[in-house]
Amino acid sequence: MDIQGFFSSFNTFLDQLNILSVSLLIFAPAIFGLILAGPWFPDDEITIRRTAKAFGWIIFIYSLLFLACFDPDKGLQFMEVGKWPGTQYPWIKALGINYIVSIDGLSMPLVLLTTFITLLSLYASKENITKRFKLYYSMVLILTTAVLGVFCAQDLFLFFLFWELELIPMYFLIAIWGSGRAQYSAIKFVLYTLVGSVFILAAILILYFSFYNQTGKLTFDMYYLGQQADYPIKIQLLAFVGFFIGFCVKLPAVPFHTWLPDAHVDAPTPISMILAGILLKMGGYGLLRFNFGFLGEALQIMAPYVALFAVISILYGAMVALSQEDMKKLVAYSSVSHMGIVLLGLAAFNSAGINGAMFQMLAHGVISAGLFMLVGTIYIRAHTRIIDKFGGLFYQMPVLSSFFILIGLAGLGLPLMVGFAAESLTFYGAFTSDSFSKFPFFGYDLPLSIQFFSILGIIGIIVTAAYILWLLERVFFGPMFEKWKPLSDTTLTANKYQEVLVLCLLSLSIIFFGCFPKTITRIFEPTITKLVETKTEVIVRIPISNYIGVAK
């Protein structure tokens, strides 16, 4: 039997077993978290850690079963409507709120990224978490449920509920197990996200009542609000701005980014991995799902301004990262720069650009998680993250240094690594786009096209190479200070194998998907390409000044 025949038979076998439930996938982590947190569970560090990692493996493997049965050429799959799988049970009928969960090409790769990074963060917690183990692991697992709910919800009210639920465990994970100004950073994270949530809620209600005025039907169902509605352009623009601001806070894009460096610097290493690897992707997912998927006509009109935000984020994040002395803050600002590339792909408004934006989120997820893991590993040994205090670590820690060099080079977009594949696809989409050729500015049409903004974005990539290479040169090469000679390298010993496992899995992902990008793009490419074709068929290029009252 060939490989294709094997997978076809395996899919049929899983279908017959009927064990795939999106509801179970979403809520299993929270159930596991409550089991760990309960008074019946032994308050023993080793037992808690091992059980949490076992739960992480179960969740990750279960998500792989969904991938095995997932058909990229179809739309929504594994759909569940109602209180229990297979039942038609309205949740809050009077308001048109239903429990609807499903997986499609946009959510499937992010579900896998979530379960993968969560599993690795549980292993990374071994050296970084030293107190209140039951509460910590339960909070991580409950956070996983909230994020999976965001990616799988097909009802806007349910989506918003999961979006807000994520705040609670993340606040405690930073405030209790963080360092420095942990409580300040946790509160700042919550306040910024809550402000963004106000804009998201306003946009949801705009679509909700606009659809009601059109049809007389109250519903939060994404299918009706996104595919079956015909909103006036002014309504689209209002909703677009609300969604854009709210999701850019989470992305984050300049100027909504200032919570991110504080949160990263003060959060423990595994939580920084989750924050950069998963939570930032919630903002990118929202932009793709709603600003592109629901409001394509508004996106076409707003594309010049989206591109402006993208370039500002790319350049500002890279420039500020270049001036950082704290390794963790440098990686945090690099996230601002790299997530700006997602916005540039969105502004391109073509298949290559949107696919590149999605691919960039996945690439950044594994690269940023690896960089934060490496910075945290060095900090545990040296008790400092200040770049100028290091030098020549490669001679003392060759294995750990090699991992850092490999993942760092992936961050600057070295060919045959996942960062290069994602960035090249995104910039190809931007350079070949015709989304706009002029930039409206107070009644004037400036001759600034999407290609001009793409060139500015390339400058940001050059700056990225500069700060990554400068970081590697200062930390790992040159003369080594005597005080670093006692530092131990990472090994496969009983106490250190978690570090090697996490770094090996991330490194293999970076190389494999960099060499064979089609293995991951095939999951989301049909969905995005179909959406692009649908949106571009009905787009009419009309100046934004016609809608926002700008004098021509």
Side-chain angles (χ1 to χ4, degrees):
M1 180 184 297
D2 58 9
I3 296 296
Q4 185 176 359
F6 170 78
F7 279 109
S8 177
S9 300
F10 185 63
N11 292 351
T12 304
F13 174 70
L14 290 177
D15 290 338
Q16 292 174 347
L17 288 179
N18 196 25
I19 61 173
L20 297 181
S21 166
V22 180
S23 296
L24 183 59
L25 175 67
I26 295 171
F27 291 105
I31 295 171
F32 291 152
L34 294 175
I35 292 173
L36 285 176
W40 52 80
F41 199 85
D43 194 9
D44 174 69
E45 176 185 349
I46 296 177
T47 303
I48 294 170
R49 291 190 189 277
R50 289 177 177 176
T51 306
K53 287 183 284 191
F55 287 156
W57 276 110
I58 292 172
I59 298 165
F60 177 58
I61 293 172
Y62 192 52
S63 69
L64 290 178
L65 295 181
F66 282 87
L67 177 63
C69 292
F70 183 76
D71 186 349
D73 295 320
K74 294 182 180 179
L76 295 172
Q77 299 167 57
F78 317 109
M79 180 174 286
E80 297 172 19
V81 181
K83 186 175 181 180
W84 299 107
T87 64
Q88 301 292 326
Y89 184 88
W91 185 8
I92 306 176
K93 186 176 182 179
L95 298 178
I97 299 172
N98 287 282
Y99 176 83
I100 310 173
V101 291
S102 184
I103 294 176
D104 67 354
L106 288 179
S107 52
M108 185 75 255
L110 293 171
V111 166
L112 295 172
L113 180 68
T114 299
T115 58
F116 180 60
I117 298 297
T118 298
L119 173 63
L120 297 187
S121 70
L122 295 174
Y123 276 93
S125 302
K126 173 66 169 63
E127 298 291 333
N128 294 276
I129 304 301
T130 58
K131 62 180 181 180
R132 304 182 72 172
F133 305 105
K134 293 177 70 172
L135 181 60
Y136 169 79
Y137 285 105
S138 65
M139 287 291 104
V140 171
L141 292 169
I142 291 172
L143 176 65
T144 304
T145 283
V147 177
L148 290 174
V150 167
F151 294 146
C152 297
Q154 293 299 319
D155 180 274
L156 267 172
F157 183 87
L158 185 64
F159 168 87
F160 188 75
L161 191 65
F162 281 121
W163 183 275
E164 293 299 287
L165 175 62
E166 167 264 333
L167 292 177
I168 301 172
M170 196 63 189
Y171 169 81
F172 288 113
L173 288 167
I174 297 175
I176 296 177
W177 291 276
S179 58
R181 301 184 303 170
Q183 292 188 353
Y184 165 81
S185 297
I187 292 174
K188 189 174 182 180
F189 163 76
V190 170
L191 290 178
Y192 266 73
T193 306
L194 283 175
V195 171
S197 297
V198 171
F199 286 92
I200 294 173
L201 180 60
I204 290 173
L205 293 178
I206 288 172
L207 298 184
Y208 177 72
F209 287 112
S210 178
F211 186 80
Y212 174 72
N213 290 334
Q214 290 180 32
T215 65
K217 179 180 180 180
L218 290 173
T219 182
F220 283 93
D221 191 325
M222 290 186 189
Y223 172 75
Y224 292 104
L225 295 181
Q227 305 297 325
Q228 300 297 308
D230 184 18
Y231 303 109
I233 189 60
K234 290 186 178 180
I235 293 296
Q236 285 199 44
L237 289 171
L238 284 173
F240 183 95
V241 171
F243 280 131
F244 186 78
I245 293 175
F247 294 136
C248 278
V249 170
K250 184 73 78 177
L251 192 63
V254 179
F256 312 110
H257 70 289
T258 57
W259 63 269
L260 183 68
D262 291 328
H264 270 312
V265 168
D266 295 329
T269 295
I271 303 309
S272 287
M273 293 171 62
I274 292 175
L275 179 57
I278 304 173
L279 264 61
L280 304 189
K281 310 310 173 286
M282 292 167 59
Y285 172 79
L287 290 168
L288 293 180
R289 176 68 74 186
F290 301 109
N291 291 77
F292 166 63
F294 282 24
L295 307 168
E297 191 171 351
L299 174 58
Q300 178 71 17
I301 295 171
M302 297 294 289
Y305 305 99
V306 175
L308 179 64
F309 272 95
V311 168
I312 291 174
S313 295
I314 294 171
L315 292 175
Y316 177 86
M319 292 292 186
V320 176
L322 186 63
S323 65
Q324 295 304 310
E325 289 300 320
D326 186 314
M327 284 192 287
K328 202 171 188 184
K329 189 168 284 190
L330 182 150
V331 178
Y333 277 106
S334 76
S335 292
V336 176
S337 181
H338 282 95
M339 295 307 287
I341 298 175
V342 175
L343 286 179
L344 186 63
L346 191 70
F349 202 76
N350 57 17
S351 182
I354 303 294
N355 277 290
M358 185 68 181
F359 199 4
Q360 174 66 12
M361 288 197 291
L362 301 174
H364 177 265
V366 292
I367 293 172
S368 62
L371 289 174
F372 279 114
M373 175 65 185
L374 287 160
V375 171
T377 302
I378 292 176
Y379 180 77
I380 289 174
R381 291 161 167 76
H383 305 293
T384 182
R385 296 188 299 260
I386 304 303
I387 298 172
D388 286 343
K389 293 185 178 181
F390 292 102
L393 288 189
F394 186 87
Y395 311 109
Q396 184 67 24
M397 308 162 65
V399 177
L400 190 61
S401 301
S402 297
F403 277 121
F404 208 125
I405 293 170
L406 186 149
I407 298 178
L409 293 176
L412 63 81
L414 189 72
L416 298 182
M417 293 189 181
V418 68
F420 173 80
E423 291 173 8
S424 60
L425 180 59
T426 307
F427 279 99
Y428 170 79
F431 274 110
T432 58
S433 171
D434 61 349
S435 60
F436 65 93
S437 58
K438 296 180 180 180
F439 186 90
F441 183 74
F442 289 99
Y444 298 93
D445 288 333
L446 303 179
L448 304 178
S449 65
I450 181 69
Q451 286 74 26
F452 171 78
F453 288 98
S454 302
I455 293 172
L456 294 180
I458 292 293
I459 296 173
I461 300 301
I462 296 172
V463 179
T464 298
Y467 69 71
I468 291 290
L469 292 175
W470 195 25
L471 168 69
L472 297 176
E473 189 274 332
R474 287 189 289 172
V475 173
F476 299 105
F477 300 101
M480 184 180 68
F481 295 106
E482 287 291 325
K483 62 180 178 179
W484 302 134
K485 286 189 175 180
L487 295 184
S488 61
D489 201 359
T490 188
T491 65
L492 285 172
T493 61
N495 293 329
K496 301 295 183 183
Y497 84 93
Q498 290 92 347
E499 296 174 349
V500 177
L501 176 65
V502 171
L503 294 173
C504 279
L505 290 176
L506 288 171
S507 299
L508 289 173
S509 300
I510 288 169
I511 295 172
F512 178 80
F513 293 119
C515 294
F516 307 101
K518 190 68 176 179
T519 55
I520 190 70
T521 58
R522 64 178 295 274
I523 299 175
F524 55 82
E525 183 179 6
T527 299
I528 291 176
T529 301
K530 184 176 180 180
L531 275 173
V532 170
E533 292 173 352
T534 302
K535 299 301 177 185
T536 54
E537 284 176 359
V538 297
I539 291 302
V540 179
R541 301 178 190 279
I542 304 175
I544 189 174
S545 57
N546 288 13
Y547 300 108
I548 60 177
V550 178
K552 293 187 284 185

